[in-house]
C-alpha cells in the first residue's frame, strides 16, 4: 500500500515536530494533525517560568511560525477516544472518524494528581496554558504557596512564585531535589538554591492530606504531623502518559506506548513519539519514556525516517537524553543516563564548598567512561563535554 496520508494524534510539540519532519524529508501527501486542546501547538516550558511570571504573553508561546507552509489539515478541540488499527482510523469524541495510511501517536501526558477525592479549590497542576492562567491569578504578593514535589515543574514554579512575592514552601519526599536523577550528592547542592531565594524546602516529607474549609484549601498536612498553611497548592509529582484511549486497539502499552528504537509500535504503520512514547532507548538499554522537550524534537525525526523508509535500514539512533531547567536564577543542564553508582568527577567548580548556584560542571563516569554530565551555568563547557558522552558498558 502506497503512503498517501499520515495521521498525527496530538497537536503539541511532538506532533508538530512530526509534521515538520515529514515535510523536511520530502513527504508531499496529506498530513492531518488532531489535538484535544482547541489551540495550535504551543511551547510548554515557559508555562512554569516566563509565562507564569507575566513577562511572556500568549503569542510568545506559539510554535507555528507564520512563514511556515506545512499544508496541514487541523482537527482541534476534539480528543481521540479510540483507534481502529484495521481500518487505519481513529474515532474522535464527537463521533467522527479520521483516517490515515500511517498513524503517529503523540498524545503526550497528563499531570499526576494526589490520590483521593477531588481536590478543593486552590489546588492546581500545571500542564496546559489554562492551568498556568488559573495558577497565575492566585500568585499574588503575600499568598502562601505549598509546592508538592521538587522536580522540574515544582522547582520552576517555586522560583517564579518567590519572584512574585509569594511565600513558598516545597515538600519533597526524596532526600534532595532531583536526587533520583542527579544522584544524592549533586541533588543536595541544589537545596541551597531554595534557601538562598527565601523558599522553605522540606525533604524526606510526604503529604498526608490537603485540608480545606468551604471547599477552599487552607493547609497541607504532612505525614510527620506538621501542618503547612496554604492559600494555593501546586502538585508537581510527574506525569502519566495519555494512552487510555488506546485500550483494546492492539497497541502494546506499559508505562507508555511500547515501541522499538525507531519509534515503531507493535502494530504495522503505527508509531509513537514524545511524552507518551516508551521506546527501546540505546542509552538506557530498555524501554524508557522520556518527558523532555528535546525528546519531542529528536524522536519525530527518527520516527519519520523509519516511516518513510518502509522497513529499510538506516534509521538514525536516538541521542543521549538531555534536559535543562531554569530555576532560582541558574540554568541546570543534564545529558546522559545514570544506572547508579557512577563516579563523579568535577571539571569546573567545587562540589564540597561551592556556593549554592555557583557555576559547576560534573561528569559521571562508569568504568572510566563519561556517561552523563551536569552543568550549572556552564553552557559552553557543557556543550563541549556533552559531545564526548558514550552509552557506557
Amino acid at each position: 500500500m502506497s503512503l498517501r496520508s499520515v495521521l498525527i494524534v496530538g497537536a503539541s510539540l511532538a506532533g508538530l515536530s512530526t509534521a515538520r519532519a515529514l515535510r523536511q524529508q520530502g513527504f508531499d501527501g496529506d498530513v492531518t494533525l488532531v489535538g484535544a486542546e482547541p489551540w495550535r501547538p504551543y511551547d510548554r516550558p515557559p508555562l512554569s517560568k516566563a509565562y507564569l511570571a507575566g513577562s511572556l504573553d500568549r503569542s510568545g508561546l506559539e510554535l507555528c511560525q507564520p512563514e511556515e507552509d506545512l499544508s496541514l489539515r487541523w482537527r482541534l478541540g476534539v480528543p481521540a477516544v479510540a483507534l481502529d488499527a484495521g481500518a487505519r482510523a481513529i474515532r474522535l469524541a464527537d463521533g467522527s472518524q479520521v483516517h490515515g495510511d500511517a498513524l503517529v501517536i503523540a498524545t503526550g501526558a497528563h499531570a499526576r494528581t494526589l490520590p483521593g477525592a477531588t481536590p478543593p479549590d486552590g489546588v492546581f497542576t500545571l500542564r496546559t496554558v489554562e492551568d498556568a492562567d488559573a495558577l497565575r491569578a492566585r500568585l499574588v504578593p503575600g499568598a502562601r504557596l505549598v509546592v508538592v514535589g521538587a522536580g522540574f515543574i515544582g522547582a520552576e514554579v517555586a522560583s517564579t512564585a518567590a519572584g512574585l512575592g509569594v511565600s513558598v514552601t516545597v515538600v519533597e519526599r526524596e532526600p534532595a531535589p532531583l536526587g533520583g536523577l542527579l544522584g544524592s550528592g549533586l541533588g543536595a547542592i541544589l537545596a541551597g538554591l531554595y534557601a538562598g531565594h527565601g523558599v522553605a524546602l522540606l525533604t524526606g516529607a510526604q503529604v498526608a492530606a490537603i485540608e480545606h474549609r468551604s471547599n477552599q484549601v487552607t493547609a497541607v498536612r504532612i505525614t510527620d504531623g506538621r501542618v503547612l498553611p496554604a492559600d494555593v497548592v501546586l502538585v508537581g509529582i510527574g506525569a502519566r502518559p495519555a494512552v487510555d484511549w488506546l485500550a483494546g486497539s492492539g497497541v502494546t502499552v506499559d508505562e507508555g506506548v511500547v515501541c522499538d528504537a525507531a519509534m515503531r509500535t507493535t502494530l504495522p504503520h503505527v508509531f509513537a513519539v514524545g511524552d507518551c512514547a516508551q521506546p527501546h532507548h540505546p542509552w538506557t538499554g530498555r524501554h524508557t519514556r522520556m518527558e523532555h522537550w528535546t525528546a519531542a524534537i529528536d524522536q519525530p525525526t527518527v520516527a519519520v525516517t523509519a516511516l518513510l523508509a518502509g522497513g529499510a535500514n538506516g534509521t538514525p539512533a536516538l541521542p543521549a537524553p538531555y534536559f535543562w531547567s531554569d530555576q532560582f536564577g541558574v540554568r541546570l543542564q543534564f545529558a546522559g543516563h545514570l544506572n547508579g553508582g557512577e563516579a563523579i568527577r568535577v571539571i569546573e567548580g567545587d562540589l564540597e564548598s561551592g556556593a549554592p548556584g555557583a557555576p559547576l560542571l560534573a561528569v559521571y563516569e562508569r568504568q572510566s567512561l563519561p556517561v552523563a554530565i551536569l552543568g550549572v551555568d556552564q553552557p559552553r563547557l557543557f556543550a563541549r563535554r556533552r559531545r564526548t558522552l558514550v552509552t557506557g558498558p
Side-chain angles (χ1 to χ4, degrees):
M1 182 177 181
S2 61
L3 184 65
R4 300 184 301 271
S5 61
V6 177
L7 175 57
I8 304 168
V9 188
S12 192
L13 176 62
L16 179 62
S17 297
T18 302
R20 285 172 171 162
L22 282 164
R23 296 310 189 203
Q24 290 166 358
Q25 295 190 35
F27 180 70
D28 60 2
D30 291 335
V31 178
T32 301
L33 203 58
V34 175
E37 294 184 66
W39 326 110
R40 290 200 176 190
Y42 59 88
D43 206 16
R44 296 183 193 273
L47 296 182
S48 57
K49 299 184 284 289
Y51 185 79
L52 188 63
S55 59
L56 182 72
D57 63 17
R58 189 71 168 263
S59 65
L61 298 176
E62 295 177 3
L63 289 171
C64 295
Q65 303 302 317
E67 66 274 13
E68 281 188 302
D69 182 17
L70 298 176
S71 300
L72 306 180
R73 300 175 188 267
W74 297 92
R75 290 294 304 273
L76 299 176
V78 187
V81 296
L83 165 64
D84 184 340
R88 302 196 183 198
I90 62 167
R91 187 172 76 252
L92 304 182
D94 63 3
S96 63
Q97 284 195 337
V98 187
H99 296 260
D101 295 331
L103 170 69
V104 180
I105 301 168
T107 43
H110 302 301
R112 293 188 185 277
T113 57
L114 293 172
T118 302
D121 188 34
V123 178
F124 298 90
T125 56
L126 182 56
R127 189 74 187 179
T128 68
V129 68
E130 290 90 348
D131 293 338
D133 289 339
L135 178 60
R136 178 64 181 86
R138 300 293 189 99
L139 298 182
V140 297
R144 299 167 299 179
L145 169 68
V146 174
V147 176
V148 182
F152 306 124
I153 294 295
E156 290 169 2
V157 169
S159 175
T160 300
L164 294 170
V166 175
S167 173
V168 185
T169 300
V170 177
V171 178
E172 169 57 47
R173 68 177 183 178
E174 298 296 331
L178 296 177
L181 177 64
L182 304 180
S184 58
L186 287 174
I189 70 170
L190 302 182
L193 292 173
Y194 291 76
H197 290 79
V199 174
L201 173 65
L202 307 180
T203 57
Q206 297 189 53
V207 172
I210 303 291
E211 299 186 351
H212 58 92
R213 184 181 303 113
S214 301
N215 200 43
Q216 171 61 48
V217 64
T218 59
V220 174
R221 179 161 46 85
I222 57 180
T223 51
D224 66 5
R226 282 178 287 179
V227 176
L228 311 174
D231 305 303
V232 191
V233 174
L234 184 280
V235 179
I237 54 175
R240 59 180 182 84
V243 295
D244 292 347
W245 68 282
L246 294 169
S249 67
V251 172
T252 299
V253 174
D254 182 19
E255 295 178 359
V257 179
V258 176
C259 36
D260 65 13
M263 313 309 296
R264 303 180 189 91
T265 74
T266 49
L267 292 182
H269 312 292
V270 180
F271 295 72
V273 295
D275 287 356
C276 69
Q278 191 184 2
H280 192 276
H281 205 291
W283 281 78
T284 66
R286 62 181 185 275
H287 288 93
T288 309
R289 194 164 64 88
M290 298 286 179
E291 295 177 20
H292 304 323
W293 190 91
T294 47
I297 297 288
D298 298 330
Q299 291 176 359
T301 298
V302 173
V304 167
T305 301
L307 188 160
L308 297 181
N313 294 325
T315 301
L318 291 169
Y322 167 71
F323 77 82
W324 80 93
S325 177
D326 296 316
Q327 51 186 261
F328 301 110
V330 303
R331 167 155 288 200
L332 307 178
Q333 294 174 283
F334 181 86
H337 176 73
L338 303 180
N339 290 335
E342 287 83 3
I344 299 175
R345 181 161 59 94
V346 176
I347 306 298
E348 292 288 337
D350 188 339
L351 184 60
E352 297 300 327
S353 59
L360 176 77
L361 190 78
V363 175
Y364 299 78
E365 295 179 333
R366 193 180 309 138
Q367 296 185 15
S368 299
L369 296 175
V371 296
I373 184 171
L374 169 69
V376 179
D377 278 346
Q378 290 279 12
R380 291 185 179 179
L381 283 178
F382 180 90
R384 189 183 312 154
R385 289 280 181 168
R386 180 184 174 189
R387 293 192 290 267
T388 69
L389 296 181
V390 298
T391 55

